[in-house]
Amino acid sequence: MPVDLKALKPVLARVRATPAAKDPGDWMTAACPGASAAERTAIAAALAKVPEPSFARDAARIPALQKRLKALKLAAFLVPRADEHQGEYIVARAERLRWLTGFTGSAGFVIVLQKEAALFVDGRYTLQAPAETDASVITCRHFKKPPAIEWLAEKVAKGDRVGFDPRVTPMREAERWRTALAKVGAELVAVDENPVDSIWKDQPGDPFAAIHAYPVRFAGEASADKRARIGADIAARGAAAAVLNQLDSIAWLLNVRGGDTPATPLVQSFVILAADGHATWFVDEAKFTGGLTAHLGNGVTVRPIGAFAEGLQDLAGKAVTIEPETATAWIAETLKNAGATLVEGQDPSVLPKARKNKVELAGTRKAHLRDGAAMAKFLRWIDTKAVGQGELAVMAKLEEIRGADPLHRGASFTTIAGAGSNGAIVHYRSSPETEKVVEKGTFLLIDSGAQYLDGTTDITRTIAVGSVPKRLKEHYTRVLKGHIAVATARFPKGTGGIAIDGFARRALWQAGLDFDHGTGHGVGVYLGVHEGPGRISPLSQVPLEPGMILSNEPGYYETGSHGIRLENLVVVSESAMPGFLEFETITFCPFDRRAIAVGLLTVEERAWLDAYHADVRRKLGPRLTGADKAWLERMTAPL
């Protein structure tokens, strides 16, 4: 069979983007249905010759874009790290910010003017961003000092035109930019073609990965029941339909999982959900695996993803609900031009997805027990084998251990392995150029997670390699005190994460210390390791609700020296005290007792830690043998 390299190039991009893929046959079967074994071999050989897109830093790219802006008569252009679906994990084609600047973080925003450029990042990336970008063509700034909108308003003049891509910019964000620029007489202009794409010569195509049904035994609720429930919410809003562009919402609603995005089993697609529960799914049907059509049933109409604009136009004259913070400006404008009436409101699947059902919670608890046993094996390996090893070898060992689980489906994000001073880089990504070896007398920070068919995990442990200085132990213990304060918190129903965040910081604040990131984020079930709307952060007023899974991860980071983060996942649960909620910890893995300054702990904190370690020993002990079990018993002994 003829090999169309251009058509198959996205397949290679997908495979390269997910090296932990269990079976290359999955994507080959989906990409080439009906191909013989010999034909698949030929295709694989041809794919191997297709060059990878280059994300290596290149200082010539920003000047090339600036030249393009002059030709388009744009004073500036906005480059968010975003795609059409507004998720954390985006396809390689949409990694415009990374290609343009070299910055690999999960969140960032670039403004390119004709003679300068700036990258705005949050506190997680204030060290990483300058290290990865070229200061000769771009400056790195904290996203609040001042905010990007205020910064640009000082740079542009009356009559200037500022370009943006409406397909990757949320409706509400476009409105904020438009209002701010209008105050100084400048204009926000939507571009038909993203100018970054015009200079990105080896830009990848869209990914091509198999789509599978997600069984009710893991999901806990049939898609038809979910759609009926969400449809009723849409009707209650006075709308005839909702437009969903967030991929985790779509995967949850339809009970499907795919492989188009790294680390999260999502499917590039869009959904229009009618108030009667009928869904129209705009997706590449060639990705379907056997039985998926039957799984979807008559309540889901499948249309090509390229027909999405037509689907929006079909809503002419109807009231349509969209979430303005995530639905793109292009979606909103297309609906308005078609004559639809916009009903603004939260994506109707977000809260139901966040409130995990009993089956999802039971599966997640099981996944965490298996993951805890894998972590215990890994941490014993760290104690006995890691000194002198590089960070990349440490990461590979963890994946090897986790990969033995038959339900394992890869990492839930790229493992952060920060040895010594690299641990101070909050979202550090190790590479051959940056990795350090594990040395005695230092901390090793390991932040990692896994995707299992029955749950998603996220855990951070900071390990004392040999004997560490007293100052490091004090920092570690203050972070641990904050972790315990969150784990033991009881709070009234209706409380937002902002009220819990200070619990994690109190012991650090007492010593004049702090950390520049939130304390916790939502977590999905075989979905995104980061999901909303619930969070524990200084900015989140969303009420925490029973069934939400959140992380509890305070930290402390000292540039050039060390980083500490201690993370478990917790479930928001009903308290025995009427009208109150509390947290159930579902991550089971020892904290490094060798790093604790025991004298800094209160009697209550020591009691909690001893009880937690006894629980770890009881739950993980039967899953371990020999030296691994002996290590666990030592590490969970009472203080």
Side-chain angles (χ1 to χ4, degrees), residues 14 46 110 138 160 172 280-281 287 325 432 458 478 492 509 535 578:
R14 161 62 190 151
V110 165
I138 192 166
D160 279 349
R172 184 69 78 230
T280 303
W281 191 18
K287 298 177 181 179
E325 295 290 351
D458 185 2
R478 291 188 180 277
W509 287 345
R535 293 179 178 83

Side-chain angles (χ1 to χ4, degrees), residues 584-626:
E584 171 202 352
T585 295
I586 60 173
T587 301
F588 296 98
C589 179
F591 293 102
D592 195 339
R593 59 204 313 278
R594 301 163 300 189
I596 300 172
V598 179
L600 288 178
L601 295 178
T602 65
V603 172
E604 293 79 11
E605 289 166 343
R606 289 183 61 174
W608 181 90
L609 188 59
D610 282 345
Y612 173 75
H613 277 162
D615 218 14
V616 170
R617 186 167 61 252
R618 179 176 60 84
K619 291 177 181 292
L620 300 188
R623 298 172 179 272
L624 300 171
T625 60

Side-chain angles (χ1 to χ4, degrees), residues 420-442:
S421 61
N422 279 347
I425 304 172
V426 180
H427 267 208
Y428 169 67
R429 179 174 292 184
S430 187
S431 69
E433 294 75 30
T434 64
E435 73 166 332
K436 292 179 179 291
V437 299
V438 179
E439 297 179 343
K440 290 185 176 181
T442 65

Side-chain angles (χ1 to χ4, degrees), residues 313-471:
Q313 292 161 2
D314 291 341
L315 297 172
K318 297 181 179 180
V320 182
T321 183
I322 63 171
E323 180 175 330
E325 295 290 351
T326 56
T328 63
W330 176 85
I331 290 174
E333 196 64 22
T334 302
L335 287 169
K336 288 178 183 176
N337 291 340
T341 301
L342 300 187
V343 179
E344 296 181 9
Q346 188 178 61
D347 176 332
S349 66
V350 164
L351 261 178
K353 173 167 56 68
R355 302 184 194 113
K356 310 301 186 292
N357 60 48
K358 291 181 179 179
V359 172
E360 290 174 312
L361 290 175
T364 294
R365 291 186 183 103
K366 291 177 182 177
H368 276 82
L369 291 178
R370 301 194 309 275
D371 197 67
M375 282 296 299
K377 294 175 183 177
F378 169 70
L379 292 177
R380 187 186 74 83
W381 179 86
I382 290 289
D383 276 1
T384 57
K385 303 286 187 181
V387 173
Q389 299 265 16
E391 294 163 347
L392 295 173
V394 169
M395 294 162 61
K397 185 63 179 180
L398 178 54
E399 287 306 304
E400 174 192 325
I401 293 172
R402 279 187 168 137
D405 188 325
L407 296 185
H408 182 254
R409 293 298 180 269
S412 56
F413 59 96
T414 301
T415 295
I416 298 168
S421 61
N422 279 347
I425 304 172
V426 180
H427 267 208
Y428 169 67
R429 179 174 292 184
S430 187
S431 69
E433 294 75 30
T434 64
E435 73 166 332
K436 292 179 179 291
V437 299
V438 179
E439 297 179 343
K440 290 185 176 181
T442 65
F443 276 152
L444 172 63
L445 187 154
I446 303 289
D447 186 349
S448 70
Q451 294 286 8
Y452 300 96
L453 284 177
D454 52 353
T456 299
T457 69
D458 185 2
I459 176 173
T460 309
R461 288 296 183 265
T462 303
I463 304 143
V465 184
S467 179
V468 296
K470 180 180 178 181
R471 184 171 60 90

